[in-house]
Amino acid sequence: MTSSGLLSLAEEVGAAWAPRAAEYDRTAAFPQADMDDLRSSGLLGLLVPDRLGGMGAGFEDYVRVAVRLARSSGASALLFNMHASVTGALARVPDDLVRALGAPQSFLATRDEVLERAVAGAMYGVAISEIGAGPRLSALQTYYRKEDGKYRIRGRKSTCSGAGHLDAYLVAARDAAVPEEGSPRISYFLVPNADIGDVEQRWDPLGMRGTASNGFTIDACVDEAALLGVEGIALLLAHAMPEWLVASYAAVYVGVAQAAIAAAAAYVGAALVREPANEGPAREVGLGSSPWVRQRLGRADAQVEAARLAVEEAGRQVDANPGDAETSRAVYRAKLLAGDTAFEVAASLAEACGLGALMRGSDLERILRDARSGAVMPPSSDIAANVLGAAVLGTDPGVGLGARPW
Ligand SMILES: Cc1cc2nc3c(=O)[nH]c(=O)nc-3n(C[C@H](O)[C@H](O)[C@H](O)COP(=O)(O)OP(=O)(O)OC[C@H]3O[C@@H](n4cnc5c(N)ncnc54)[C@H](O)[C@@H]3O)c2cc1C
């Protein structure tokens, strides 16, 4: 499908999502109707190659689609982002690299099967984060060991968007056979929904509520085919090709920032203020006639457009030069700019509009809360900035006073 065809599809799905966003935010429930729309649109196969029946899109197209979807519902777009990061990574990590790393030929067949299932409507999630470790792969405490030709995975994941509602989850776990003091071997497994344990029902956060990002326990024996690629691939990919852990979120927060501008413009366009009577009677004027309000909208417009261009540029570089050091920098810049911009813009516009736009149920109030999560999601803005700062200095971001990025 052409880029403009994909955007029209995203426009259609987004239009269906928009009226439901407030209610999913209120209940913090899994947005089943939104995900059904996604499924029937075919967008679950967006990043799956044509040869497997998918739409064959690259990262730049993903960025455009995700930005559009997030304008209607940041939370539902975040669920789509998790699915896209699994299917995108599987589809686009080069076969040669996978073979060079020692993955068996059977992995390529399994990978194709997983991608074909996405085209048929299967939806995937990501379960990396743990209490105490956050998203830092090297600090994970979910372990796996080989038992009778299978992998036994045991541990607890703190946050997984869509937990209990999806078909399978990319679970990151640490090889129990490697001594604690050695370099950790972290691997990815695709674990079916039936194999995850009790899903907690504690998700009640400030924003991005309609993602149902509950934690779960896991104590499962999965087939060898559940191993994605080779053992130890997780840290390697995080350092060499961070786009699938980093940049897919960035697109979502650009869409959230655009939604903040749209919500503020709608509010300002309808709001009246009384001009103080210096001479003659007081009169009501539109809030939009205030240069103080307009300059905030203008700054927001420039900031969000800059973030959008940075995220699209990162997408272009991921498509053209995956694994390149400059591509990684573009990816970290995109995440940092998008996460920070979304909240800065939403907060500034909330100030411009005033309390009327911050009452429960107002679009801007929800978007402001959603935008707060951007800088927190991995890698946090602080960590992304540390990686970029180290690159400026030509040093290793994992060395020194800061935490390792992964
Ligand atoms: C809406 C939403 C959806 C999410 N969905 C998913 C999902 O689907 N899958 C998933 O895996 N995760 C998901 N997450 C979790 C997200 O990845 C976590 O928020 C992230 O892992 C960070 O963890 P944390 O917020 O607990 O912060 P922490 O990692 O606990 O960090 C808190 C603070 O401590 C600092 N800190 C922590 N450790 C160190 C250290 N060793 N040295 C120095 N400083 C340190 C951090 O920099 C930060 O400032 C989601 C989060 C949100 C908000």
Side-chain angles (χ1 to χ4, degrees), residues 96-398:
D96 290 351
L97 175 69
V98 175
R99 280 197 202 95
L101 291 172
Q105 188 61 28
S106 60
F107 164 67
L108 297 178
T110 307
R111 176 200 62 187
D112 286 0
E113 210 180 288
V114 169
L115 292 171
E116 280 171 339
R117 289 210 317 260
V119 175
M123 190 165 179
Y124 306 126
V126 174
I128 294 177
S129 298
E130 295 177 8
I131 291 169
R136 281 171 300 283
L137 292 160
S138 53
L140 296 183
Q141 295 288 302
T142 293
Y143 286 91
Y144 72 88
R145 66 172 71 245
K146 256 202 156 149
E147 280 182 15
D148 306 325
K150 294 196 164 207
Y151 289 102
R152 174 125 188 230
I153 308 171
R154 301 172 85 169
R156 182 166 169 236
K157 295 296 178 183
S158 61
T159 330
C160 172
S161 298
H165 298 275
L166 306 177
D167 294 276
Y169 308 86
L170 177 139
V171 173
R174 176 190 200 103
D175 186 353
V178 174
E180 285 290 323
E181 57 279 11
S183 286
R185 179 150 59 189
I186 313 293
S187 306
Y188 285 136
F189 299 88
L190 193 69
V191 178
N193 192 50
D195 285 336
I196 66 167
D198 288 340
V199 176
E200 295 160 356
Q201 299 300 329
R202 295 194 314 168
W203 182 249
D204 188 14
L206 178 75
M208 291 295 190
R209 291 170 57 78
T211 54
S213 301
N214 284 294
F216 60 80
T217 52
I218 179 165
D219 183 355
C221 270
V222 294
D223 290 336
E224 268 182 309
L227 174 72
L228 296 177
V230 288
E231 289 187 52
I233 203 170
L235 277 166
L236 213 118
L237 280 184
H239 289 288
M241 301 172 89
E243 47 268 27
W244 301 107
L245 281 171
V246 176
S248 50
Y249 300 122
V252 171
Y253 286 97
V254 168
V256 169
Q258 289 181 347
I261 295 179
Y267 181 84
V268 168
L272 294 172
V273 284
R274 191 156 304 128
E275 203 178 34
N278 292 327
E279 288 169 21
R283 60 186 188 118
E284 292 210 309
V285 292
L287 185 54
S289 64
S290 157
W292 314 117
V293 168
R294 285 202 305 252
Q295 64 87 13
R296 281 182 187 260
L297 279 164
R299 284 178 200 281
D301 173 72
Q303 272 179 282
V304 175
E305 189 58 5
R308 183 186 70 79
L309 291 170
V311 176
E312 280 194 13
E313 172 59 15
R316 198 188 59 71
Q317 290 195 34
V318 167
D319 288 340
N321 304 306
D324 197 83
E326 272 312 305
T327 303
S328 283
R329 280 177 89 169
V331 160
Y332 278 103
R333 283 187 198 117
K335 171 62 179 61
L336 175 61
L337 285 170
D340 282 1
T341 299
F343 187 64
E344 280 169 23
V345 160
S348 169
L349 294 178
E351 211 174 319
C353 293
L355 181 60
L358 290 176
M359 300 298 275
R360 283 251 183 250
S362 120
D363 284 346
L364 192 56
E365 184 265 346
R366 169 173 45 82
I367 293 163
L368 173 64
R369 287 185 287 101
D370 285 351
R372 182 59 284 186
S373 301
V376 172
M377 296 198 74
S380 67
S381 286
D382 288 347
I383 289 173
N386 176 47
V387 170
L388 289 166
V392 170
L393 293 170
T395 55
D396 179 345

